Amino acid sequence: MVTLDKIVRLANEGQFDSSGPKIYDLNNIDMQKVKTLGEGTKHDICASTASKRQVADVSGRIGDVVKAGVCHAFTPDGRCVGMFKTLFTNACQHECKYCPNATLSHRPKIQKYTPEELAKLTLMLYRGNYVEGLFLSSGIAGNEDQTMEDMIESVRLLREKYSFQGYIHMKVLPGASYEHIKQASELVDRVSINIETPSKSYMSELSSTKDYDNDILQRQKYIRHNIGKGRFPAGQTTQFIVGAAQETDKEIFKSMLNEYEEMEVKRSYFSAFNSVKGTELENTPSQPQWRENKLYQVDWLHRIYKFQNKEIEHAFDEDGFLFNKDPKLSIALNIIDSSIDPNEATQEQLLRIPGIGPKSAYGILKLRKRERIWKNEQLARIGVVTKRARYFLKLNGWEYSSLEDWS
Ligand code: SF4
C-alpha cells in the first residue's frame, strides 16, 4: 500500500521513476502541494472495497478509504486497482459549510497543479508501479468551466500524449457544462458528482451557493445522457454526507433509490459527517461511524439481496433513523413469522434469513438436491453463519423457541 506520505517520500528520495527515462524533474515538484492536494481528498470516497468489507464484517467500518494518497476501486472487469487520489486545486468559490476548501473556511494555502504537472506526476507513479489509476477531484478555482478544462486537459495529456491506459475516476464539478461532461466521457472510466444531501432544502442549509437542482441533479442527467458506447464505461457514482444537516436515514435511503432508478448511478457512497476545524460547521457534532455503516448495509440489501422497499422500511425507527444493529435482523424479526425449513424454502426466503447470503442461499439449493439438510453443520460447511441463522430455521423438525439471544 502506498500512502500520501510514502508518495512524497519516494519523490523526495528520487525513487519514483525507476522503470524508465525520467520525464519530470523531481526537484521541481512542490512537495507541500502534493501533500495539501492529496490530503484535500480525504472525505471523497472512491472505494468499492466497501462492498467486500460489508460481507466480511458487518460491525466494522465500511466504505472507508485508506489515508489520503491512494484509494481502491473495482474496474468493470472486476480488478481491484490502486489509484492516486488528489485534488486538482483546493481553491473553491463555493460556500459549503462542511468543506475545508470553501471560501468561508480557514483553508490551507491555495495550491493548484498545472495539467502537465498532474499528468506527469500520475504517470511517474504509474510507471513506478505504485498506482494503476487516478482519482481526480477538485474545488472550483475561478469558475467551473476553467477548472473542468484544466482537469480534462490533465487526463487528455495522460491518455493522448503519454498513452496512459490506467483507470481514471474523475469528479464532475457542480455546474459543469454539458460539453465538458461529453469531453470527459471520452477520456475517463468513471465519473461522479456528490449529491451530498437528500433534498434541495437540506442543501440550502449547507451551502448558500450550490444549487441542488441545477448544479447537481441537472449535471447527473448530463452524465447519464453521455454513458454508453464506450463512454464512461464504469458509469457514474455519487456520495452522501451523512448527518451534516438534519436529514434522516430514511430520507437518504429514498434519495439513494432515486439516484439508482432515475440517475442510473452504479453506486452510492456514504460519508458520516465529520466536523472539520476551520469550517463553518466546526462546532456541529460529528456523526457516529455506525450510521454510515448501516446505510451501506441497507444499500446492500437493496442492490444485492433485492429486498423490497417495503421490507427495508422495517429497518428504520419511527423517526426515520436506522437502529444501531444489523438492519437485516430488524427486517427479519418483522417479516419472518415462523421458522423456515431450508429443504423447502425458496431462494428469496433463504435470503431473508440473517446469516444467509446470496452465495450460501445458492449453496443450500445445490446441497438439498444431493441430500436432506437436517443439522447446522451441513449449513456451516457451505458458508451459512449458523449462530445467526439458526433462530429462523427449522431443522429436522426442531426449531429455536426464543429469539432472546438477539436482544
Ligand atoms: S463545491 Fe465542493 S470543493 Fe467547493 S466548497 Fe463545496 S464541497 Fe468544497
Side-chain angles (χ1 to χ4, degrees):
M1 171 66 60
V2 60
T3 61
L4 184 60
D5 285 342
K6 191 169 175 190
I7 289 170
V8 172
R9 185 169 55 76
L10 288 167
N12 271 328
E13 292 170 0
Q15 292 179 24
F16 246 174
D17 196 14
S18 55
S19 61
K22 297 225 174 333
I23 56 169
Y24 195 74
D25 181 357
L26 291 174
N27 294 329
N28 286 342
I29 295 183
D30 175 350
M31 290 306 148
Q32 194 50 50
K33 173 157 73 180
V34 175
K35 211 166 173 8
T36 302
L37 295 178
E39 283 173 352
T41 62
K42 65 184 169 202
H43 299 291
D44 269 322
I45 295 175
C46 58
S48 301
T49 40
S51 54
K52 282 209 152 183
R53 290 185 201 185
Q54 194 161 14
V55 174
D57 177 13
V58 292
S59 61
R61 187 181 166 95
I62 297 168
D64 196 4
V65 279
V66 290
K67 284 182 188 162
V70 166
C71 66
H72 289 92
F74 282 97
T75 59
D77 61 6
R79 284 178 310 119
C80 179
V81 295
M83 298 193 290
F84 175 41
K85 186 167 173 255
T86 186
L87 296 176
F88 186 83
T89 177
N90 62 337
C92 195
Q93 65 185 21
H94 279 292
E95 293 179 358
C96 306
K97 292 179 183 170
Y98 52 87
C99 177
N101 302 326
T103 48
L104 299 176
S105 299
H106 297 291
R107 50 192 173 189
K109 184 181 166 200
I110 299 297
Q111 302 276 12
K112 185 182 176 188
Y113 284 116
T114 65
E116 189 73 32
E117 267 180 336
L118 180 59
K120 285 177 174 171
L121 185 55
T122 307
L123 194 65
M124 291 167 74
L125 285 164
Y126 183 69
R127 285 175 27 172
N129 269 336
Y130 298 111
V131 299
E132 294 158 281
L134 170 67
F135 177 90
L136 180 58
S137 185
S138 188
I140 301 174
N143 63 60
E144 52 279 334
D145 283 343
Q146 183 56 52
T147 309
M148 279 298 288
E149 270 164 32
D150 285 342
M151 293 168 78
I152 290 167
E153 183 59 13
S154 306
V155 294
R156 191 188 306 287
L157 286 169
L158 270 172
R159 291 288 195 226
E160 295 175 2
K161 183 172 176 186
Y162 298 115
S163 304
F164 177 75
Q165 298 299 312
Y167 185 84
I168 300 178
H169 178 157
M170 192 172 103
K171 288 267 177 189
V172 161
L173 302 179
S177 72
Y178 183 88
E179 187 51 34
H180 284 138
I181 290 170
K182 187 159 176 273
Q183 287 172 23
S185 73
E186 283 156 15
L187 296 164
V188 312
D189 299 275
R190 169 163 279 184
V191 76
S192 56
I193 182 164
N194 289 0
I195 188 165
E196 313 285 26
T197 74
S199 75
K200 191 179 174 72
S201 61
Y202 287 128
M203 178 58 81
S204 65
E205 282 179 35
L206 297 177
S207 178
S208 57
T209 55
K210 212 149 69 176
D211 183 315
Y212 191 73
D213 291 339
N214 184 49
D215 289 342
I216 298 173
L217 299 185
Q218 185 59 40
R219 312 301 139 169
Q220 289 189 316
K221 288 179 189 163
Y222 289 169
I223 294 168
R224 184 187 62 190
H225 192 253
N226 276 286
I227 292 173
K229 298 200 179 116
R231 293 171 299 149
F232 294 141
Q236 70 165 320
T237 61
T238 195
Q239 183 178 323
F240 291 87
I241 180 167
V242 179
Q246 299 304 309
E247 78 283 357
T248 65
D249 295 330
K250 201 171 190 174
E251 288 171 314
I252 295 175
F253 174 68
K254 286 193 170 156
S255 177
M256 178 196 85
L257 293 179
N258 188 59
E259 288 289 289
Y260 287 136
E261 284 155 23
E262 182 74 17
M263 300 303 178
E264 298 173 14
V265 308
K266 286 258 169 114
R267 283 295 311 271
S268 292
Y269 294 102
F270 309 99
S271 177
F273 169 70
N274 188 19
S275 52
V276 178
K277 200 164 184 318
T279 62
E280 292 278 289
L281 294 187
E282 68 177 1
N283 295 321
T284 302
S286 294
Q287 292 298 298
Q289 194 57 53
W290 64 260
R291 196 173 163 198
E292 175 186 312
N293 296 353
K294 299 303 151 199
L295 281 162
Y296 275 112
Q297 288 180 297
V298 160
D299 173 43
W300 191 254
L301 293 175
H302 167 72
R303 286 186 306 110
I304 310 297
Y305 286 67
K306 309 290 181 207
F307 274 38
Q308 303 293 317
N309 297 341
K310 64 175 187 306
E311 294 175 310
I312 293 178
E313 295 269 326
H314 294 297
F316 299 97
D317 67 18
E318 57 190 22
D319 295 321
F321 290 94
L322 290 162
F323 299 100
N324 184 13
K325 64 182 181 186
D326 179 5
K328 190 175 174 187
L329 174 63
S330 305
I331 296 166
L333 292 171
N334 277 282
I335 66 171
I336 300 178
D337 45 23
S338 60
S339 303
I340 294 171
D341 183 343
N343 295 290
E344 310 290 338
T346 62
Q347 187 171 18
E348 200 176 282
Q349 286 173 315
L350 291 170
L351 276 174
R352 272 134 185 90
I353 299 174
I356 298 180
K359 216 167 150 191
S360 48
Y362 180 67
I364 290 172
L365 299 182
K366 265 175 65 179
L367 178 66
R368 72 192 194 192
K369 282 187 187 155
R370 297 196 305 270
E371 57 194 63
R372 181 153 184 87
I373 301 168
W374 61 281
K375 56 181 181 178
N376 280 317
E377 288 72 15
Q378 288 169 288
L379 295 170
R381 275 199 293 274
I382 55 171
V384 173
V385 185
T386 51
K387 68 175 192 244
R388 295 164 62 75
R390 61 189 174 184
Y391 299 97
F392 298 91
L393 290 172
K394 182 161 60 182
L395 286 172
N396 210 20
W398 195 85
E399 58 198 71
Y400 271 78
S401 57
S402 160
L403 289 173
E404 276 170 15
D405 287 13
W406 285 113
S407 57

